[in-house]
Amino acid sequence: MFLINCPYCGERDQQEFKAGGEAHIERPKQPTELSDDEWAEYLFMRKNIKGVQFERWNHAHGCRKWFNMARDTSNDEIKAIYKMGEKPPTQ
Amino acid sequence: MRNKYSIFSLFKNALSYHENWQRAWKDPAPKKEYDAVIVGGGGHGLATAYYLAKKHNMQNIAVVEKGWIGGGNTGRNTTIIRSNYLWDASAGLYDHALKIWEGLSQELNYNVMFSQRGVMNLAHNLQDVRDLKRRTHANRLNGIDAVYLNTEEVKKFCPIINTSQDIRYPVLGGTLQRRAGTARHDAVAWGYARGADEMGVDIIQNCEVKSIKRSGDTVEGIETTKGFIKTKKIGVVAAGHSSVVANMAGLKLPLESKPLQALVSEPVKPIIDTVVMSNAVHAYVSQSDKGELVIGAGTDDYISYSQKGSHQIIEGTLNAILELYPIFSRMRMLRQWGGIVDICPDASPILSKTSIKGLYFNCGWGTGGFKATPGSGDLFAHTIANDEPHKLNAAFNLNRFVSGDLVDEHGAAAVAH
């Protein structure tokens, strides 16, 4: 349980948000040409990082907008919040 | 040869004020090389080592554990054991485990306090009723005992349940598996550790794996905080940290690690002599032999390794508990904790070879791995020793996420652990 600074609404309780899992997984451009292995990679395989991970969140009980977050999963500390379409922070 | 535990050894040791009991297992330094190394000293890992030594004659093996044995999810779960899963593959897997549980205390000469007090699953809406009836039939076709109970029979089996039809989620019925029940979680780890140690397995605690060394597509050993250990076979049984170990070998797994919480109350006199779980309202409860109510809450929806869950998850579970059991309204909770569970997309485990020769994974048990501990160890040992799965765990391979042959157990496993 932590506070999340929604880029549209400001700081709110995490309870208002829905976690959307790993970010920056690109949908295949040509799905019909994908092999089974590539589908499995896209659909199921996850980095599941212990440490700083980039992930999607949705302000489900607020503005209902999606955004990205860099969060340390070992202690739940939020490192950065950035909008959809923006590049993940480097450091 | 170690002394057997018996009424006589208890009496003999009582005469010396219980100060001369033998160590249950040694504390060895790692050797340079083993025939196989198990990564993770929880129940599943220790059981794997035990069956490798006992059934597959592999005594030159080690279990490496980064903390102390049984200090992870083995000591954090709510100890429920059952096998009433929907699909044939799961029924085979979990009932195999349940059958081993039934003779485990005798086999290990260690009282795991296995108690077949029954597990009841409640239905709160029409779809629950249909699903649970279907599951009951599926279970019976697979030779697993299951009965469907109507509301009156639920009330008779567990009188403290509020079966009023005026509550938000009324009890419409339920299923009962009488062979199901609970066991003492620590004792399972300790019993397997003692048994494995006696057959020559090295149990190495405070030894964290730092990297997996491979040459091409074959494993060569592991680098640990206690030095390099050479081995040709590595069985990873690291629960919530499976992905972390997989990343060391350059593998990705279809897992997400999330916090799952549980809590216990102050001890009270016997009030509930079974296990009752409810998927719809997300509440389940049993009572330990000490008298504490053992209550399982849910997982958070975000990935975390922090072993801390959110308060609202517990609040939601306790709301449901109080509606179903108004008698608990003035109970005080003693402890609350979280564990990190590795959840598969189909809510079924992975006991599998990998694309790397000599590297095996036993993971993805998610919210409900404790019940499978003996069966998981037995089948994983078979997989490691023979380099191919036993027929009971063949369906639980890693390749199912490529082939699409998933074992969807969300109905039987999503909440009710």
Side-chain angles (χ1 to χ4, degrees):
Chain A
M1 193 176 219
F2 35 83
L3 290 173
I4 295 175
N5 195 3
C6 172
Y8 306 97
C9 311
E11 204 163 69
R12 300 291 180 89
D13 194 308
Q14 170 249 320
Q15 210 175 155
E16 293 185 14
F17 297 82
K18 177 98 183 94
E22 189 179 321
H24 308 297
I25 298 175
E26 201 177 332
R27 189 176 161 78
K29 289 201 169 60
Q30 307 212 290
T32 49
E33 285 165 26
L34 239 49
S35 69
D36 288 352
D37 280 318
E38 288 165 327
W39 268 122
E41 180 73 20
Y42 167 69
L43 283 175
F44 297 123
M45 300 304 164
R46 295 292 178 262
K47 290 183 189 152
N48 198 22
I49 291 169
K50 183 180 188 178
V52 177
Q53 151 165 297
F54 301 119
E55 54 193 17
R56 299 174 303 173
W57 284 77
N58 177 242
H59 195 180
H61 299 286
C63 62
R64 301 180 65 191
K65 287 201 173 91
W66 285 90
F67 57 92
N68 290 317
M69 183 190 290
R71 186 174 57 94
D72 188 336
T73 59
S74 63
N75 57 12
D76 293 337
E77 195 182 315
I78 297 171
K79 301 287 187 189
I81 285 177
Y82 54 102
K83 291 183 179 171
M84 280 290 162
E86 288 177 13
K87 289 224 157 45
T90 52
Q91 48 92 31
Chain B
M1 184 65 191
R2 182 158 293 137
N3 292 340
K4 268 189 82 144
Y5 293 152
S6 68
I7 183 87
F8 303 108
S9 69
L10 190 63
F11 180 72
K12 196 179 124 207
N13 281 282
L15 297 177
S16 56
Y17 301 98
H18 297 293
E19 286 174 356
N20 295 314
W21 284 100
Q22 277 185 317
R23 285 188 77 113
W25 55 86
K26 296 180 288 290
D27 186 20
K31 290 189 227 164
K32 292 222 165 357
E33 184 174 359
Y34 290 97
D35 294 338
V37 173
I38 306 300
V39 178
H44 289 242
L46 293 163
T48 305
Y50 175 84
Y51 291 112
L52 273 173
K54 188 177 177 191
K55 293 173 81 169
H56 305 282
N57 206 25
M58 289 176 72
Q59 277 92 22
N60 182 31
I61 60 176
V63 177
V64 295
E65 163 58 45
K66 75 172 171 181
W68 64 95
I69 63 165
N73 291 352
T74 302
R76 292 166 191 268
N77 65 79
T78 48
T79 79
I80 294 164
I81 295 162
R82 61 187 177 89
S83 64
N84 55 352
Y85 280 69
L86 176 65
W87 301 107
D88 295 351
S90 317
L93 179 69
Y94 291 102
D95 211 49
H96 178 62
L98 184 48
K99 282 175 189 145
I100 303 178
W101 277 113
E102 287 173 330
L104 193 60
S105 291
Q106 286 73 20
E107 184 185 341
L108 293 177
N109 178 228
Y110 204 103
N111 186 6
V112 299
M113 296 165 73
F114 180 52
S115 156
Q116 292 177 297
R117 59 185 67 184
V119 169
M120 187 159 68
N121 290 78
L122 299 180
H124 296 278
N125 54 54
L126 195 56
Q127 191 58 44
D128 274 359
V129 172
R130 290 179 185 135
D131 287 346
L132 288 181
K133 279 186 177 166
R134 179 191 177 201
R135 187 135 63 89
T136 308
H137 295 312
N139 289 158
R140 291 165 76 156
L141 285 170
N142 277 315
I144 293 168
D145 69 305
V147 285
Y148 188 82
L149 309 177
N150 63 28
T151 309
E152 290 71 41
E153 288 164 332
V154 167
K155 182 80 178 170
K156 198 169 164 219
F157 188 69
C158 184
I160 60 168
I161 293 182
N162 177 9
T163 50
S164 158
Q165 296 301 298
D166 297 335
I167 63 177
R168 175 65 184 82
Y169 298 103
V171 176
L172 301 185
T175 63
L176 175 62
Q177 185 182 17
R178 291 186 190 274
R179 284 165 63 231
T182 60
R184 170 93 170 103
H185 49 10
D186 296 321
V188 180
W190 298 336
Y192 274 123
R194 176 168 169 268
D197 179 85
E198 190 173 353
M199 290 183 284
V201 175
D202 280 354
I203 296 165
I204 305 159
Q205 301 180 73
N206 299 309
C207 180
E208 185 176 352
V209 175
K210 289 297 187 188
S211 66
I212 292 175
K213 193 165 174 240
R214 46 191 267 210
S215 91
D217 277 341
T218 311
V219 297
E220 290 193 323
I222 50 172
E223 194 64 56
T224 73
T225 48
K226 292 191 174 178
F228 182 73
I229 301 173
K230 195 175 164 193
T231 184
K232 288 193 176 69
K233 292 189 176 201
I234 302 170
V236 182
V237 201
H241 282 70
S242 297
S243 296
V244 177
V245 183
N247 289 344
M248 292 175 192
L251 282 182
K252 255 160 106 182
L253 294 172
L255 297 175
E256 289 191 318
S257 296
K258 297 176 175 182
L260 174 67
Q261 296 180 87
L263 57 165
V264 295
S265 73
E266 60 192 336
V268 290
K269 288 189 176 178
I271 182 74
I272 178 164
D273 63 356
T274 184
V275 182
V276 185
M277 38 193 17
S278 161
N279 277 9
V281 299
H282 206 305
Y284 62 97
V285 62
S286 63
Q287 190 172 19
S288 74
D289 289 0
K290 275 188 286 186
E292 302 157 327
L293 294 181
V294 182
I295 296 171
T299 50
D300 278 287
D301 67 346
Y302 55 86
I303 292 169
S304 177
Y305 290 84
S306 68
Q307 291 190 331
K308 279 182 289 193
S310 300
H311 182 70
Q312 77 265 15
I313 301 285
I314 288 199
E315 195 176 19
T317 291
L318 289 180
N319 283 343
I321 291 279
L322 290 189
E323 189 172 65
L324 279 176
Y325 313 92
I327 191 174
F328 295 152
S329 65
R330 282 183 287 171
M331 291 281 283
R332 283 168 296 190
M333 292 298 143
L334 273 192
R335 298 190 305 275
Q336 160 269 329
W337 64 93
I340 301 305
V341 296
D342 45 331
I343 299 176
C344 253
D346 59 354
S348 283
I350 296 166
L351 293 108
S352 180
K353 295 161 67 168
T354 64
S355 54
I356 298 167
K357 192 167 161 36
L359 185 63
Y360 307 85
F361 269 89
N362 181 352
C363 59
W365 290 96
T367 55
F370 176 74
K371 66 173 82 68
T373 305
S376 158
D378 183 31
L379 299 173
F380 196 46
H382 180 101
T383 308
I384 293 174
N386 299 301
D387 195 37
E388 60 181 79
H390 188 278
K391 68 177 186 336
L392 287 175
N393 68 312
F396 299 96
N397 60 57
L398 202 45
N399 195 53
R400 73 178 189 267
F401 298 96
V402 177
S403 69
D405 196 7
L406 303 181
V407 188
D408 181 6
E409 283 293 354
H410 282 288
V415 170
H417 309 286

